Amino acid sequence: MGRKVLVLGEARDGGLRNVSFEAISAASTVADGGEIVAALVGKDVKALSEELIAYGANKVVVTEHEDLAAYTSDGYAQALLAIIESEQPEAIVFGHTALGKDLAPKLAARLDKGLISDVTDVEVGGDQVVFTRPIYSGKAFEKKIMTDAFTFVTIRPNNISPLAKDEGRTGDVEDLNVEIKNLRTVVKEVVRKATQGVDLSEAKVVIAGGRGVKSTEGFGPLKELADVLNGAVGASRGACDADYCDYSLQIGQTGKVVTPDLYIACGISGAIQHLAGMSNSKIIVAINKDPEANIFKVADYGIVGDLFEVVPLLTEEFKKLKV
Ligand code: FAD
């Protein structure tokens, strides 16, 4: 029979965030043979529909508007409410991104529906849809059964693999015009942080530095290693508090949650609040001078040594593998 599931395609800088494809994959499990509808909201975003279809959406509903050029919860909520009204889905999947974390609870509250957030896995058995999500800063996992038809879900990036891209897939693309009115927030200008390269929350490789990095310049060797591995640089709060780097790099309970394939912790002690943001990484490598450092308890590979000796050696070796 199957369910009808709506997914938000998160458009940014003329492209789609990878988590949109992961959301389609999660939706396909929930749909269980039913229909996957992707919502595409913004300005000049319609051209992205084909990619959503190639990743498994059966239909794309596009709402374009001048006032949706930049994200505002007010504007997006109006667009999404109209799409939900017209599509009547049984579940709605967002990425657990800054946007998803803002919008999904707002819509769930507005429609008086449930929200299961930060989901890392979805299974279907019989009539039941079961979502897995970490609790207690990643120390345990809980399973939530979707009891209410019409539930909002946010999925943690980098946990659910997208379906294989197939350019041969076909689907409908429909426009839904929505009158956007009474916006209480107006974006005057978007000022970007001067970060380069790969987005930390979606990176497959993260090289993170802690207080052991000792200075802003100390992040240089980490950046070089990240470049060779096409990864992103992250940090502990210790490094951010010491002003070695920007808080946008902070990983942990009060920072970003990352789940890359490879996490290399350099000069990070492994405080519980840091582990909350990275302990679900697939492979964890820790480099620390102190053999008793807590980070070694969660590491798959531990290197006891000075990061300023070890990191450049790793960079050299990975460079050799690339040629
Ligand atoms: P330290 O604990 O000082 O560790 C530095 C490590 O570097 C040591 O293990 C040392 O052996 C090693 N080292 C030193 N020199 C070298 C070298 N040359 N080579 C190799 N190793 C070396 N922290 C987070 O990270 N993220 C959060 O989101 C977060 N949220 C928090 C929320 C709350 C409410 C609280 C109370 C704390 C939070 N913290 C968070 C802070 C956390 O408790 C730790 O203080 C912080 O993670 C420590 O950072 P660190 O590991 O870089 O520094």
Side-chain angles (χ1 to χ4, degrees), residues 184-206:
R184 286 169 297 180
T185 320
V186 177
V187 177
K188 295 276 191 193
E189 189 187 1
V190 177
V191 182
R192 294 196 185 279
K193 277 258 163 71
T195 50
Q196 302 131 9
V198 186
D199 180 345
L200 181 56
S201 40
E202 293 200 338
K204 296 284 177 206
V205 176
V206 173

Side-chain angles (χ1 to χ4, degrees), residues 210-212 214 236-239 250-255 267-271 273-274 287-290 293 305-308:
R211 223 189 313 253
K214 293 190 175 68
S236 70
R237 178 156 145 190
Q250 186 184 318
I251 291 165
Q253 188 182 315
T254 43
I268 294 178
S269 59
Q273 296 90 353
H274 185 75
I287 305 167
N288 199 302
K289 282 204 299 201
D290 174 9
D306 186 332
L307 73 94
F308 294 106

Side-chain angles (χ1 to χ4, degrees), residues 94-110:
F94 293 83
H96 195 69
T97 57
L99 189 156
K101 283 188 267 188
D102 183 51
L103 193 56
K106 186 183 179 89
L107 293 172
R110 186 79 68 86

Side-chain angles (χ1 to χ4, degrees), residues 236-257:
S236 70
R237 178 156 145 190
C240 300
D241 283 347
D243 215 10
Y244 301 160
C245 61
D246 192 87
Y247 277 102
S248 61
L249 300 190
Q250 186 184 318
I251 291 165
Q253 188 182 315
T254 43
K256 293 196 167 86
V257 174

